């Protein structure tokens, strides 16, 4: 299936809607979804993990009333959300206090329950894409039960496409080569600062006709501003000084060509022939409009050879133009 419309290869990542790292009000989250819609974005991704189901509920509220045939919706399996007796703060990065908890479950029953729960929280009758989410420590169960269940549902026409979303390339490459999947979500491993997906998973996707959605294109913050802050994060941890220095050198070249570091970071993954599009996490309407404007920015063709000539970008990285 086609995940992105021609000319608009950007979609909304749903984790920030559930208060990733800091609280987000429900009204702001719903307005963020509407802003993405108004910008013409028609791909929306979420997961039960995000805010213990809260992101799915808020995305569903934001999409309520939108023509279901006009957008692509993805969610994930691998974690079951269940009710406990007492509320407590979430311990996995989301600023929520809830009676809900999460547990790992890649079994057939777990996959079926997860999808049923996601449909209810989202208020929809179908998921266009379902990803096996972060099976890093659950390879055997994912292969034995999660993927076969998703393949069966896809073959029955109950879901559109299947795949896996991870922050690593090695296991994703195995899935691409060994399992009949349609798409992967590659988080943080094909960016200006970390193009390691070129070594394994991206060639495998081309070979097996698997689409790629690149996410984490700002590497959790280091590439999100025209100049990285001294306390910038890379992969959700403090960025090493060497990477901050490299980001500043890339920013120098960007500025010399009249563009900004985040605009170039958004453009870079889209040049690879395996990449169908990108999804960016946004926590408010301003972030949506900022990212949409960055996506519309024209990056001069001359910038890319200069990045390669200075050793700031790999020679084998496909680039626009």
């Amino acid at each position: 299936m086609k995940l992105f419309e021609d000319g608009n290869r950007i979609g909304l990542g749903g984790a920030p809607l559930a208060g990733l790292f800091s609280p987000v009000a429900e009204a702001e989250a719903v307005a963020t979804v509407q802003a993405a819609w108004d910008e013409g974005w028609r791909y929306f991704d979420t997961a039960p993990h995000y805010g213990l189901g809260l992101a799915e509920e808020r995305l569903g509220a934001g999409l309520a009333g939108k023509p279901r045939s006009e957008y692509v919706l993805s969610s994930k399996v691998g974690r079951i959300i269940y009710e406990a007796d007492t509320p407590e703060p979430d311990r996995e990065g989301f600023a929520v206090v809830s009676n809900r908890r999460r547990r790992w479950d890649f079994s057939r029953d777990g996959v079926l329950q997860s999808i049923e729960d996601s449909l209810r929280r989202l208020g929809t009758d179908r998921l266009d894409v379902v990803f096996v989410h972060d099976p890093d420590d659950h390879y055997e169960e994912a292969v034995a039960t999660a993927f076969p269940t998703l393949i069966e549902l896809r073959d029955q026409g109950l879901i559109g496409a299947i795949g896996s979303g991870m922050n690593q390339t090695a296991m994703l490459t195995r899935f691409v080569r060994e399992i009949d999947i349609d798409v992967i979500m590659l988080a943080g491993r094909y960016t200006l600062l970390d193009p390691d997906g070129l070594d394994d998973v991206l060639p495998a996707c081309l070979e097996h006709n698997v689409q790629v959605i690149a996410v984490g294109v700002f590497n959790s913050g280091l590439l999100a501003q025209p100049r990285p802050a001294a306390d910038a994060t890379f992969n959700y941890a403090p960025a090493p000084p060497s990477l901050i220095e490299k980001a500043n050198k890339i920013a120098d070249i960007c500025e010399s060509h009249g563009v900004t570091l985040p605009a170039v970071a958004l453009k870079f993954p889209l040049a690879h022939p395996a990449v169908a599009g990108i999804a960016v996490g946004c926590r408010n309407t301003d972030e949506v409009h900022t990212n949409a404007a960055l996506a519309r920015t024209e990056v001069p063709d001359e910038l890319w050879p200069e990045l390669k000539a200075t050793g700031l970008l790999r020679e084998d990285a496909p680039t626009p133009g």
Side-chain angles (χ1 to χ4, degrees):
M1 67 179 300
K2 191 170 185 179
L3 301 172
F4 294 85
E5 295 182 348
D6 291 336
N8 198 349
R9 298 168 63 196
I10 185 170
L12 181 67
L17 301 178
L20 181 64
F21 302 133
S22 59
V24 173
E26 181 169 357
E28 185 69 69
V30 173
T32 300
V33 178
Q34 182 63 50
W37 185 272
D38 293 341
E39 287 286 359
W41 299 4
R42 292 297 183 267
Y43 174 72
F44 299 88
D45 175 69
T46 186
H49 170 57
Y50 303 155
L52 295 158
L54 187 60
E56 290 184 318
E57 292 170 341
R58 290 177 167 182
L59 179 58
L63 291 173
K66 304 287 192 294
R68 186 61 186 85
S69 61
E70 293 186 10
Y71 62 90
V72 174
L73 178 62
S74 65
S75 192
K76 305 180 182 76
V77 298
R79 295 172 175 92
I80 294 292
I81 308 302
Y82 66 96
E83 295 286 335
D85 293 332
T86 57
E88 65 178 41
D90 181 58
R91 296 188 177 92
E92 298 198 27
F94 294 89
V96 298
V97 178
S98 175
N99 283 58
R100 295 173 178 174
R101 309 285 192 269
R102 55 174 75 75
R103 70 170 184 266
W104 292 104
D105 193 336
F106 293 90
S107 69
R108 175 182 173 80
D109 288 346
V111 167
L112 295 175
Q113 180 184 338
S114 182
I115 292 174
E116 181 179 350
D117 292 346
S118 290
L119 293 174
R120 173 178 48 80
R121 287 189 291 260
L122 285 159
T124 188
D125 61 352
R126 74 177 188 277
L127 295 172
D128 300 298
V129 186
V130 179
F131 294 105
V132 176
H133 196 191
D134 295 337
D136 303 69
D137 298 322
H138 306 271
Y139 173 83
E140 291 80 8
E141 192 174 11
V143 171
T145 53
F147 282 117
T149 303
L150 293 181
I151 289 171
E152 179 184 335
L153 295 175
R154 182 189 61 190
D155 291 347
Q156 293 172 354
L158 299 177
I159 55 179
I162 68 167
S164 182
M166 302 183 72
N167 293 283
Q168 59 152 295
T169 64
M171 193 176 293
L172 279 177
T173 303
R174 292 190 66 180
F175 293 152
V176 169
R177 295 194 180 280
E178 299 170 6
I179 299 170
D180 180 22
I181 61 175
D182 309 290
V183 57
I184 63 166
M185 180 165 278
L186 181 61
R189 303 285 77 80
Y190 192 57
T191 73
L192 276 177
L193 288 176
D194 187 350
D196 287 350
L198 288 169
D199 293 330
D200 49 13
V201 71
L202 292 172
C205 286
L206 285 178
E207 180 183 351
H208 292 271
N209 196 30
V210 171
Q211 298 182 80
V212 177
I213 300 171
V215 299
V217 297
F218 297 134
N219 283 125
S220 83
L222 185 51
L223 298 173
Q225 301 297 326
R227 286 286 172 175
D231 61 350
T233 57
F234 177 81
N235 292 349
Y236 307 103
S242 60
L243 280 183
I244 294 177
E245 181 183 4
K246 182 176 181 179
N248 273 302
K249 289 180 179 178
I250 296 174
D252 289 339
I253 293 176
C254 292
E255 291 172 7
S256 74
H257 289 275
V259 292
T260 65
L261 179 64
V264 175
L266 274 181
K267 292 286 187 182
F268 168 69
L270 292 171
H272 196 285
V275 175
I278 61 176
V280 291
C282 301
R283 63 192 306 108
N284 55 50
T285 58
D286 288 345
E287 290 187 2
V288 171
H289 296 310
T290 296
N291 284 316
L294 291 172
R296 291 190 291 266
T297 300
E298 293 293 329
V299 176
D301 290 347
E302 297 78 13
L303 176 145
W304 306 105
E306 187 170 348
L307 287 178
K308 291 183 177 182
T310 53
L312 295 169
L313 185 63
R314 283 176 51 161
E315 285 286 346
D316 59 342
T319 54

